[in-house]
Amino acid sequence: MNAVLDELKWRGLVYQTTDEQALAAHLDEGPITGYVGFDPSAPSIHFGNLVQLMVWRHLQRAGHKPLLLVGGATGLIGDPRMSSERNLNPRDVVEGWVERIRGQVSKFVDFAGPNGAEVVNNYDWTKDLSTLDFLRDVGKHFSVNRMLARDVVATRLDSGISYTEFSYILLQSLDYRELYRTKNCTLQTGASDQWGNISSGVELIRRSDGGKAHGLCTPLLTKADGTKFGKTESGTVWLDPQMTSPYAFHQFFLNAEDAKVIDYLKVFSERSHDEIDELERLTQAEPHKRAAQKALADDITDLVHSVAEREAAVAAAQALFGRGELSELPPQTLDAVMKEVGAVELPDAELPTVADALALSGVVASKSAARRAIAEGGAYLNNEKVTDPDQRLREEDLLAGRHALLRRGRKTVGAISRPIG
């Protein structure tokens, strides 16, 4: 078996291939070119997309060349979902998202050397393609019966699916054939829900060109109970720091389950087998230390954001519970911390008393409970113990001119924030 394919399998990055033995032999023959696609359906890719970029980091390190396709054409259509029809985004919006995602994906691969990566856009080869040529040259090779049998199409038949989304598979297959013809691309990777699109591209290349191409799908990441892994209570975990702050990003992975954290480490960290095996041993022997979770959160935050952003996220988490100085946190990190804590907006311009602030922030259930906490010596304002329940917050108590952190005991935290402007 091929070494890099073995590595991908050990890391849990291989769910299905068109022909594993043939793919291993093809990788052994010498450097190949392959691609993975990203449709601009939002201003940013999310961490699930990072799985594919990790696959290509391993493949590129083994000498193979990645093509990162940002779908300016397919992004105007949208891959059909199981639930309902997608809204068609305006062309200028999609064009803007293409450029943003082009910059994002470019961070994770190397553009230098003989196997340097390329970013391509399928709008370039579809914008001048006529309907007649598309139907004759691509559509002729597709059986409607097989297209109707696809899970997503079969699921949507009762509720309805547009011809636009029904035809998406033809566009993605065209992409593979175009890259096969112009870039000698012989491998496409994607998530397991892309299997139908990938295998159809392989089949189009065989039917129209008599060529041999390959496909590889990664498994869906799941939690210990089998449900999908990848969302916080507030939604998707984005790679754009304006959409998911580095602090929230780091916290998300820090909260990974013991039962699954090693699986996630294999996917998102580039630590060696021995290092991951040792983290697995520590997780089993001393789970309370959460060594694997810390390694996972640090590694993926370093990769997606930077070492400096990771260090700021760690410092913020420590400061939140009194083990660091809140006033030294950068304003953007402080804003992110307050958002994650669920800071309550101050209802008026006058600053409240400490007792009122504790109740308003949700740290305690009532003003009387706040007075009891203060009397017992367990109430804190910005990590400083408070003794007078009627002490009114001052302007200098507001961190970055807006926020105040309230805490009861060691672990119960909340915050209040003055509105911007």
Side-chain angles (χ1 to χ4, degrees):
M1 188 60 71
N2 176 266
V4 69
L5 192 56
D6 282 346
E7 178 73 10
L8 294 177
K9 290 178 70 176
W10 179 81
R11 290 185 178 274
L13 288 168
V14 178
Y15 173 75
Q16 192 171 12
T17 66
T18 42
D19 183 330
E20 187 173 319
Q21 288 188 335
L23 175 58
H26 185 50
L27 291 168
D28 278 335
E29 289 170 358
I32 70 162
T33 297
Y35 95 98
V36 60
F38 305 91
D39 275 351
S41 56
S44 171
I45 58 174
H46 52 78
F47 94 91
N49 301 125
L50 185 59
V51 175
Q52 302 309 315
L53 292 162
M54 298 306 294
V55 168
W56 276 102
R57 284 172 69 87
H58 290 291
L59 286 167
Q60 187 176 38
R61 196 173 293 117
H64 307 294
K65 179 184 178 71
L67 303 174
L68 306 182
L69 185 151
V70 182
T74 42
L76 291 168
I77 303 301
D79 199 2
R81 298 179 297 191
M82 288 287 187
S83 56
S84 61
E85 194 83 6
R86 292 180 184 272
N87 293 322
L88 296 181
N89 293 304
R91 287 178 180 270
D92 60 333
V93 170
V94 173
E95 288 172 5
W97 290 351
V98 165
E99 291 309 308
R100 290 183 62 163
I101 292 172
R102 175 194 294 271
Q104 284 185 327
V105 299
S106 296
K107 292 172 51 179
F108 299 98
V109 290
D110 188 356
F111 286 81
N115 67 330
E118 291 182 46
V119 179
V120 295
N121 183 346
N122 55 19
Y123 188 74
D124 293 339
W125 56 82
T126 55
K127 66 181 187 296
D128 297 324
L129 182 63
S130 73
T131 303
L132 284 175
D133 287 341
F134 180 68
L135 291 174
R136 287 175 59 88
D137 193 35
V138 180
K140 187 66 176 176
H141 297 290
F142 285 79
S143 162
V144 170
N145 293 343
R146 288 186 62 184
M147 292 172 69
L148 287 171
R150 295 181 66 209
D151 288 345
V152 66
V153 175
T155 300
R156 290 272 301 280
L157 282 179
D158 288 338
S159 61
I161 183 170
S162 68
Y163 180 74
T164 299
E165 289 197 4
F166 181 68
S167 303
Y168 179 93
I169 190 172
L170 276 70
L171 287 173
Q172 187 164 322
S173 298
L174 170 64
D175 290 343
Y176 198 172
R177 191 183 67 178
E178 175 68 17
L179 295 175
Y180 172 82
R181 288 177 173 178
T182 61
K183 305 285 188 181
N184 193 29
C185 175
T186 52
L187 173 64
Q188 184 185 358
T189 70
S192 57
D193 61 356
Q194 291 296 305
W195 178 250
N197 293 326
I198 292 173
S199 58
S200 292
V202 170
E203 182 67 8
L204 176 62
I205 290 168
R206 186 190 69 80
R207 285 174 174 269
S208 65
D209 292 37
K212 177 68 174 175
H214 304 268
L216 183 153
C217 283
T218 58
L220 182 70
L221 291 178
T222 61
K223 299 178 184 177
D225 63 4
T227 57
K228 190 174 181 179
F229 172 73
K231 298 235 179 180
T232 65
E233 291 181 4
S234 58
T236 303
V237 181
W238 302 101
L239 269 58
D240 187 321
Q242 300 304 314
M243 297 173 71
T244 299
S245 70
Y247 173 79
F249 189 88
H250 188 269
Q251 285 291 309
F252 175 75
F253 291 98
L254 203 56
N255 290 321
E257 302 166 288
D258 288 346
K260 298 292 288 185
V261 66
I262 299 302
D263 292 342
Y264 307 150
L265 260 174
K266 289 179 178 179
V267 172
F268 294 116
S269 170
E270 293 175 328
R271 293 178 186 243
S272 68
H273 292 214
D274 288 344
E275 288 176 294
I276 292 177
D277 287 345
E278 174 61 15
L279 286 166
E280 184 171 21
R281 186 193 67 78
L282 288 172
T283 298
Q284 293 169 353
E286 301 175 292
H288 60 283
K289 291 188 175 179
R290 301 185 70 76
Q293 281 87 350
K294 291 174 183 176
L296 171 66
D298 287 357
D299 288 359
I300 193 169
T301 306
D302 285 355
L303 179 66
V304 171
H305 297 293
S306 68
V307 172
E309 290 287 7
R310 184 257 297 168
E311 289 174 344
V314 171
Q318 292 175 338
L320 189 61
F321 297 101
R323 297 189 300 275
E325 183 52 60
L326 285 165
S327 62
E328 294 179 359
L329 297 178
Q332 65 271 23
T333 303
L334 192 60
D335 288 345
V337 170
M338 296 301 163
K339 182 178 179 181
E340 289 302 301
V341 167
V344 175
E345 191 172 290
L346 284 169
D348 52 49
E350 185 179 18
L351 293 175
T353 65
V354 174
D356 285 333
L358 283 162
L360 181 63
S361 66
V363 168
V364 294
S366 64
K367 189 171 180 179
S368 59
R371 288 182 173 276
R372 284 195 301 273
I374 293 170
E376 293 166 358
Y380 298 83
L381 168 65
N382 297 335
N383 291 332
E384 295 290 336
K385 184 179 289 188
V386 292
T387 56
D388 180 3
D390 297 317
Q391 171 190 328
R392 190 169 293 277
L393 271 68
R394 303 161 301 170
E395 289 294 329
E396 52 263 40
D397 291 323
L398 297 182
L399 301 164
R402 291 187 57 216
H403 310 293
L405 183 75
L406 289 306
R407 178 161 53 89
R408 178 172 60 83
R410 296 179 61 186
K411 295 184 177 180
T412 305
V413 297
I416 56 174
S417 292
R418 177 175 280 168
I420 296 176

